[in-house]
Amino acid sequence: MIIIIRKDAPNREVERLKSLLAERNIRPHESVGERQTIIGCIGDVSHLDVTEIESIGIVERVQRIQEPYKAANRKFHPDPTIVDCSGARIGGGHFSVIAGPCSVETEEQIVEVARAVKSSGASMLRGGAFKPRTSPYSFQGLGAEGVRLLLLAKRETGLPVVTELMEFRDIELFNDVDVIQIGARNMQNFNLLREVGSYTKKPILLKRGMSSTLQELLMSAEYIMSSGNPNVILCERGIRTFETAMRNTLDLGVVTVLHKLSHLPVIVDPSHATGSAELVPDSAVAAAAIGADGLIIEVHNDPQHARCDGKQSLTPADFSAMMKRIDAVRKCAVLR
C-alpha cells in the first residue's frame, strides 16, 4: 500500500501520520519526489482501513500495490534510486563501470589490474576473494587473504571495491569493502539476504539467478530492503536457456523491464553472460545503449594463466578499447 500525500502538506502532519502507521506495526517509508510525496507501508497492511486513512486531511489518495514486491516497486518510489558506492554513483543517470579479475590471485596481479582499469575509466574494482565454483576441486579463492589484497589495491588506487559474500559468518571481513555482492547462486538464500540487510547499509549488488524470473529477483531485493537496507543494485548476468553457443543467454530486455517495474539501478555483467572475451565488448556496448546504469566486467593482466574464468576476461588493452566505445555510445543525444 502507498499513501500519496497532498502537495505542501505540513511536515508535522506527515510525521503524525507516520507515527500512526508505526503504532499499527507498519513501517512507513517516505519518498519525497519532484512531483509528490509518497509514504510506502511496509508490513501486513490487511488490517488497515483505507477509508480511515483517506479521511486524513493531508492524504490525497491510497493505492494498494498488487505486486508482491513493495519496497522495490517503482510505485513505492517513483523517482529512480541513486546508490552511492563510496563516491561512485549508480542509477538515475549516473553510469559506473566495475572492473577487475574474476578472482584475486596475488598482490602484483590485483594492483596491476586495478591501476589499469582505473586509467581506462572504471570507477570501481571487482575481485573474487571467496569463489563459488561448480566443482569442489576448482580454485575456491584466497578467502580472507583475498579481501586483504583487494583493500590494498583500494589504498593504492582509491577505487571502491566490490566482492562477493558467500556466508554471513565472514561479514566482519567486509567492514572496509564498499559494495557487497550476493552472487547468482545465493540470490534466493533468504536467510543470508535478511542477515545482510539488517546488518549493514552498504550497497548490495544482487545478481540474478541463472534460472530466476524478474519477479523472483525483485522479491530477493525485497528481503534485503525490508530488513532495513535500501541500497540495492540489480545485476543481469545471463540466464540458462537451451542455447549452448554462449555460457549463458544475456537477457538485455530486462534492463528496460526492470526500470519500468522498479526504481532500483540495473547493471549488466556481459562477462558471465557470454563466457567469451571476444563477445564481451559488443554485449557491453549494447547494454550501455539500452540504458543500463552500469557494467561489471572481468579484466585480467594475463588471461591465459588466470586461475578462474580466463576465457571470458579482457586484457587491460581490450578493456581500454571497449571503454572508448562505451563512452561514444553514452554521448549519443538519445541517451541524455
Side-chain angles (χ1 to χ4, degrees):
M1 175 185 290
I2 58 173
I3 302 171
I4 300 169
I5 304 301
R6 295 186 185 280
K7 192 175 180 179
D8 301 326
N11 287 337
R12 64 180 181 278
E13 295 298 324
V14 175
E15 292 302 317
R16 187 176 300 171
L17 173 58
K18 289 160 65 176
S19 297
L20 173 66
L21 294 170
E23 290 171 3
R24 301 185 183 185
N25 297 317
I26 300 297
R27 182 156 62 89
H29 179 280
E30 184 177 1
S31 175
V32 180
E34 294 182 2
R35 296 174 297 278
Q36 58 188 7
T37 296
I38 290 174
I39 295 179
C41 301
I42 301 176
D44 180 8
V45 298
S46 61
H47 63 283
L48 287 182
D49 184 341
V50 173
T51 303
E52 178 190 359
I53 300 295
E54 287 181 328
S55 68
I56 298 173
I58 61 170
V59 174
E60 183 173 305
R61 68 181 185 276
V62 176
Q63 181 178 338
R64 290 196 179 274
I65 296 178
Q66 300 302 319
E67 298 85 0
Y69 49 92
K70 310 300 180 184
N73 201 311
R74 186 170 282 276
K75 296 173 185 174
F76 188 94
H77 191 296
D79 295 324
T81 286
I82 300 171
V83 177
D84 190 314
C85 307
S86 301
R89 307 179 83 190
I90 296 181
H94 299 275
F95 184 86
S96 287
V97 176
I98 307 164
C102 175
S103 62
V104 181
E105 298 169 2
T106 66
E107 177 180 330
E108 293 74 18
Q109 171 238 19
I110 191 62
V111 172
E112 180 179 338
V113 173
R115 287 173 174 159
V117 299
K118 181 179 181 180
S119 69
S120 297
S123 49
M124 284 183 266
L125 173 68
R126 62 145 293 148
F130 298 90
K131 294 301 302 177
R133 305 301 300 280
T134 302
S135 170
Y137 309 113
S138 298
F139 176 57
Q140 305 289 314
L142 298 179
E145 174 64 6
V147 176
R148 186 188 74 79
L149 293 177
L150 265 177
L151 296 177
L152 186 151
K154 173 183 175 180
R155 291 193 296 272
E156 289 286 327
T157 63
L159 287 176
V161 297
V162 181
T163 194
E164 182 172 352
L165 174 71
M166 292 177 59
E167 297 185 79
F168 187 73
R169 68 185 182 186
D170 297 318
I171 191 68
E172 291 188 4
L173 295 173
F174 287 65
N175 286 340
D176 294 320
V177 168
D178 300 280
V179 179
I180 296 174
Q181 176 179 310
I182 301 296
R185 292 171 177 81
N186 269 324
M187 191 205 83
Q188 290 186 305
N189 184 341
F190 300 127
N191 286 337
L192 177 62
L193 300 179
R194 278 198 193 98
E195 289 171 323
V196 171
S198 61
Y199 180 85
T200 182
K201 294 290 195 302
K202 286 180 186 288
I204 307 298
L205 195 163
L206 180 65
K207 286 199 165 188
R208 181 186 182 186
M210 59 190 73
S211 300
S212 298
T213 66
L214 296 189
Q215 179 162 301
E216 288 168 340
L217 172 62
L218 290 170
M219 289 306 297
S220 291
E222 197 78 11
Y223 269 93
I224 298 168
M225 300 176 77
S226 66
S227 298
N229 186 344
N231 300 307
V232 178
I233 302 163
L234 305 174
C235 180
E236 162 61 28
R237 45 81 69 201
I239 54 174
R240 179 172 291 169
T241 69
F242 58 84
E243 183 54 69
T244 59
M246 294 175 286
R247 180 175 180 175
N248 295 288
T249 296
L250 179 56
D251 190 3
L252 275 182
V254 307
V255 174
T256 302
V257 176
L258 284 173
H259 279 153
K260 180 179 179 181
L261 297 176
S262 177
H263 55 91
L264 298 175
V266 182
I267 71 169
V268 172
D269 176 355
S271 301
H272 281 90
T274 65
S276 172
E278 67 177 345
L279 300 177
V280 167
D282 285 350
S283 294
V285 170
I290 204 170
D293 298 299
L295 297 163
I296 181 166
I297 308 286
E298 292 194 352
V299 181
H300 197 289
N301 55 341
D302 186 9
Q304 289 188 335
H305 297 97
R307 300 189 69 179
C308 178
D309 285 348
K311 181 182 177 183
Q312 65 195 38
S313 299
L314 299 182
T315 64
D318 288 339
F319 177 74
S320 179
M322 182 198 74
M323 289 293 285
K324 290 182 174 67
R325 292 177 61 193
I326 289 171
D327 185 56
V329 166
R330 286 194 45 77
K331 286 179 179 177
C332 293
V334 71
L335 293 180
R336 289 178 181 171

